[in-house]
Amino acid sequence: MSETPAYTPPAVWTWDTESGGKFASINRPIAGSTHDKDLPVGKHPLQLHSLATPNGVKVTVMLEELLAAGHAAEYDAWLINIQEGDQFSSGFVDVNPNSKIPALFDKDTGVRVFESGAILLYLAEKYGAFLPTEITARTETLNWLFWLQGSAPYLGGGFGHFYAYAPEKFEYPINRFAMEAKRQLDVLDQRLEDCEYLGGDAYSIADMATAPWYGALVKGQVYEAAEFLDVASYEHVNRWADTVMARPAYLRGKKVNRAWGEPSEQMHERHEASDFEDKTA
């Protein structure tokens, strides 16, 4: 293992505002708002405030799937630019005290929902869709939804951070989190060898949650790590990713609240289905 500068933790940690990294300007060790600003409100019952990161894409895919299935789930999607600190506005903090995207407010029920997995579960239960009602199938689907919620931070905040975003490359954390990312891919690959979707035979919120993370990983859409992690070797994950990520609702959902990449793939806000035709960047 290569040598790295020795680091001795201090007795009491203090925040170094000069520490580097892509997200240094938006990270801080305290909660709450930094400025007063109300959130915009559209005409639809569901008000989504988000950005097209993997966690944001989960929810917009779910909403587009609900609409495609004929449910009355029209929504307004408002862009939260985390690089500019939108997540620290007083309005956003009222909906999500954790200042992370996505956040949903349902005008019909007066309910706020934060944490992407909780939003998927809320929508599935509200509309009776993409979550089985039979106890065994429902539990297996929720097993995989919560697996994703617990595992993705190791992929994004662990492997992705140290491999792609940290200001310096260090062997130990990259090796540590590469090992975990590959173990997780193997967990998925073994599961998907035996069934078409994560919950079993039916497409569900477990697939919607997982595809923007691990599907995007094996398709080379995040971290530029496909060769490094030998993602092509996970045959069943690739088969599943091809199926899920080709769904029309997935293709629409991944554009919503996207503010980077090809202009045709960006739709900063979404208020009507017709926006996909005439409101891309």
Side-chain angles (χ1 to χ4, degrees):
M1 180 175 292
S2 61
E3 293 184 3
T4 58
Y7 170 70
T8 302
V12 178
W13 181 86
T14 56
W15 182 24
D16 178 9
T17 58
E18 299 301 317
S19 61
K22 181 176 180 179
F23 302 105
S25 63
I26 62 171
N27 290 328
R28 59 196 184 111
I30 55 176
S33 63
T34 60
H35 58 284
D36 290 330
K37 184 178 181 181
D38 293 334
L39 291 176
V41 179
K43 65 181 180 180
H44 300 302
L46 298 174
Q47 298 293 299
L48 178 68
H49 304 276
S50 192
L51 183 69
T53 66
N55 284 333
V57 170
K58 295 177 194 176
V59 176
T60 48
V61 167
M62 173 61 161
L63 289 164
E64 291 299 324
E65 290 284 8
L66 287 168
L67 291 169
H71 297 279
E74 267 296 354
Y75 68 102
D76 292 286
W78 304 94
L79 179 67
I80 297 294
N81 191 325
I82 63 173
Q83 294 287 3
E84 296 181 1
D86 293 350
Q87 71 275 30
F88 299 119
S89 74
S90 56
F92 189 85
V93 171
D94 284 344
V95 182
N96 186 353
N98 196 39
S99 292
K100 302 290 184 182
I101 61 93
L104 178 75
F105 186 77
D106 187 342
K107 294 194 295 184
D108 276 350
T109 61
V111 169
R112 72 175 186 183
V113 199
F114 58 92
E115 290 298 319
S116 56
I119 296 174
L120 293 182
L121 184 55
Y122 175 81
L123 293 171
E125 291 184 331
K126 176 173 182 172
Y127 294 101
F130 302 110
L131 178 62
T133 56
E134 189 275 322
I135 187 64
T136 302
R138 176 185 172 86
T139 301
E140 187 65 11
T141 298
L142 292 178
N143 284 342
W144 289 102
L145 174 63
F146 285 101
W147 175 89
L148 179 280
Q149 294 299 115
S151 297
Y154 288 94
L155 177 58
F159 174 75
H161 176 78
F162 286 105
Y163 183 81
Y165 300 137
E168 298 179 68
K169 298 287 192 292
F170 291 105
E171 185 177 4
Y172 175 79
I174 290 174
N175 283 345
R176 168 66 180 86
F177 290 111
M179 177 182 68
E180 178 61 12
K182 288 183 70 65
R183 188 194 68 81
Q184 292 172 355
L185 285 168
D186 198 41
V187 170
L188 288 174
D189 208 55
Q190 291 186 41
R191 169 61 177 168
L192 292 165
E193 182 177 10
D194 299 327
C195 53
E196 185 173 2
Y197 297 107
L198 287 173
D201 296 331
Y203 176 63
S204 73
I205 56 175
D207 304 291
M208 297 178 205
T210 307
W213 281 103
Y214 295 88
L217 181 66
V218 298
K219 293 303 161 188
Q221 298 176 9
V222 292
Y223 311 136
E224 297 183 354
E227 181 179 8
F228 181 74
L229 294 176
D230 187 25
V231 297
S233 65
Y234 301 98
E235 174 186 353
H236 307 293
V237 179
N238 275 276
R239 182 270 306 162
W240 162 85
D242 286 338
T243 299
V244 172
M245 297 172 74
R247 293 176 66 93
Y250 189 98
L251 295 173
R252 290 193 299 274
K254 74 175 186 177
K255 295 181 180 182
V256 179
N257 297 143
R258 187 176 177 90
W260 60 88
E262 293 296 323
S264 62
E265 293 297 308
Q266 296 183 40
M267 194 164 65
H268 297 178
E269 296 182 7
R270 187 268 192 214
H271 304 288
E272 307 289 349
S274 60
D275 290 348
F276 289 104
E277 303 300 324
D278 54 24
K279 294 292 178 62
T280 59

